[in-house]
Amino acid sequence: MVTKKEYIEYLISTPVNYTCTNLAKHLEDVSHDAVNDYLHRERLTAHNLWEQVQPLLKDSPDAYLIVDDSVQAKKHARKMDLVKRQYSGNEGGLVSGIGVVNLVHTDGEDSYPIDFRIYAKTMDGKTKNDHFRDMLLNAKHNKEIQASTVLFDSWYSSWENLKCVHRLGMVFFTTLKSNRMVSLSKEAGYIHLKEIDWTQARLQQGVSIKLKKVPFRVQLFKVVAPNGDIDWIITNSDASLTTDAVQDADAVRWQVEQLHRELKQLTGIEKCQCRKQRAQRNHIACCYQAWLAIKVKAQSLGKTRYALVNDLLYDFLRAELRDPRIPALHTA
């Protein structure tokens, strides 16, 4: 029999191969079927992660919640549950994979995932925006999270989501797509973002606008990157903010990208080859707990998470160099 502890420790320790067969080879008296049965038997959820993360949070009204999704690529999957063609920012286009929507808590420096949902609309009927609202409501009402600011990108800037955040008494910072219609005044009607006259004052302090189906006004900021790229950022904050301050707040959102990258590179979240959705769900849930174990251990040792995992092979390589089990052939 395989335990959750053993499976998580395997995800942390194995450098490349994350298959059931490979784990079975490295555990005594454990078959491939036993590992496979474990992944199909368990019912792991994001609540298991929350139980471990909760004592570690530095929660306060000054903290942030970040929502973003990631696609676990399954490029060669043919008959695998949960896999569908969907857009991946990492791939820059459509890819076959399993979508996961994440809710991350950060105090501005130290971040932790506190919830995640598998995107499987054909099974549960829920869109990514449905998961956005479900996780946010759960965080505020059930987890009693104090964080008062929510960060998300244009994918989640629908009027339903903006109203949900506003009704919760929270402040949002989010981006808009460049084709979004906005209104400066009732008399002027709706125009494209690019049609706004961006005076120097508006570039520094933003401009108040109205969005369709959103019953409150928001402040719009034009943020121009050094390479000329433009981000259109809106917020419902009633504070007098500058464009620089808004840009700093929005920059915190990129902490979730670090989580996505580390889950893929350090835990093998994309590598499970099981076909059934239950096994995939359990593997993904274990990967989050593997990432958390790596983070906690790395912090205690004052190392980066990548350095900690790479060090697992350090002693092995030194031993092999001292006394190679496969020595080089003698050559002239």
Side-chain angles (χ1 to χ4, degrees), residues 67-84:
V67 183
D68 199 8
D69 57 88
S70 175
V71 178
Q72 318 313 315
K74 303 285 186 181
K75 296 180 181 179
H76 306 293
R78 294 294 179 268
K79 297 181 180 179
M80 186 178 289
D81 293 347
L82 303 177
V83 173
K84 68 184 296 292

Side-chain angles (χ1 to χ4, degrees), residues 4 46-56 114 143 289 292:
K4 181 172 75 171
H47 183 70
N48 304 109
L49 175 68
W50 167 245
E51 291 177 327
Q52 295 183 349
V53 166
Q54 185 179 14
L56 305 175
I114 63 172
K143 294 183 173 69
Q289 294 190 45
L292 182 61

Side-chain angles (χ1 to χ4, degrees), residues 229-243:
D229 289 346
I230 297 175
D231 279 334
W232 306 96
I233 301 176
I234 59 169
T235 179
N236 62 332
S237 173
D238 56 8
S240 297
L241 299 173
T242 64
T243 299

Side-chain angles (χ1 to χ4, degrees), residues 89-274:
N90 186 53
E91 299 290 337
L94 292 176
V95 64
S96 294
I98 300 174
V100 184
V101 186
N102 291 296
L103 181 64
V104 172
H105 178 285
T106 178
D107 62 356
E109 298 292 335
D110 202 16
S111 60
Y112 293 91
I114 63 172
D115 203 350
F116 64 88
R117 304 294 170 90
I118 306 296
Y119 173 49
K121 188 177 179 181
T122 56
M123 294 186 177
D124 59 25
K126 292 190 175 183
T127 66
K128 291 180 180 180
N129 286 307
D130 291 330
H131 289 308
F132 173 101
R133 294 189 292 274
D134 285 350
M135 290 193 297
L136 198 58
L137 291 168
N138 186 45
K140 298 302 288 186
H141 295 322
N142 297 329
K143 294 183 173 69
E144 298 182 341
I145 292 294
Q146 300 178 52
S148 61
T149 302
V150 191
L151 310 174
F152 46 97
D153 65 18
S154 59
W155 182 274
Y156 296 98
S157 62
S158 67
W159 63 270
E160 296 102 327
N161 291 347
L162 299 183
K163 287 174 63 176
C164 175
V165 176
H166 197 72
R167 282 198 300 266
L168 288 171
M170 303 181 74
V171 171
F172 59 72
F173 291 87
T174 184
T175 54
L176 294 181
K177 293 181 180 179
S178 59
N179 62 353
R180 194 78 173 252
M181 301 293 288
V182 303
S183 174
L184 298 179
S185 67
K186 188 174 182 179
E187 295 75 22
Y190 286 90
I191 60 174
H192 285 286
L193 291 175
K194 296 179 180 179
E195 297 179 56
I196 295 175
D197 179 19
W198 285 96
T199 63
Q200 192 59 37
R202 287 175 173 177
L203 286 173
Q204 293 176 349
Q205 300 175 346
V207 58
S208 176
I209 63 167
K210 180 76 169 55
L211 295 170
K212 288 184 177 181
K213 296 186 178 181
V214 178
F216 50 87
R217 297 184 73 84
V218 298
Q219 197 75 359
L220 171 68
F221 294 84
K222 181 181 181 181
V223 178
V224 183
N227 64 359
D229 289 346
I230 297 175
D231 279 334
W232 306 96
I233 301 176
I234 59 169
T235 179
N236 62 332
S237 173
D238 56 8
S240 297
L241 299 173
T242 64
T243 299
D244 288 341
V246 169
Q247 191 172 11
D248 289 342
D250 183 67
V252 176
R253 177 165 55 89
W254 296 105
Q255 291 183 22
V256 73
E257 298 295 338
Q258 182 180 11
L259 170 68
H260 294 165
R261 183 170 59 253
E262 291 176 352
L263 281 168
K264 292 178 179 181
Q265 296 178 355
L266 300 180
T267 75
I269 194 170
E270 295 180 309
K271 303 299 184 181
C272 181
Q273 297 179 6
C274 296

Side-chain angles (χ1 to χ4, degrees), residues 305-319:
R305 294 184 277 280
Y306 284 98
L308 178 66
V309 173
N310 289 337
D311 284 352
L312 294 175
L313 298 178
Y314 180 77
D315 291 338
F316 165 77
L317 182 56
R318 283 178 60 89

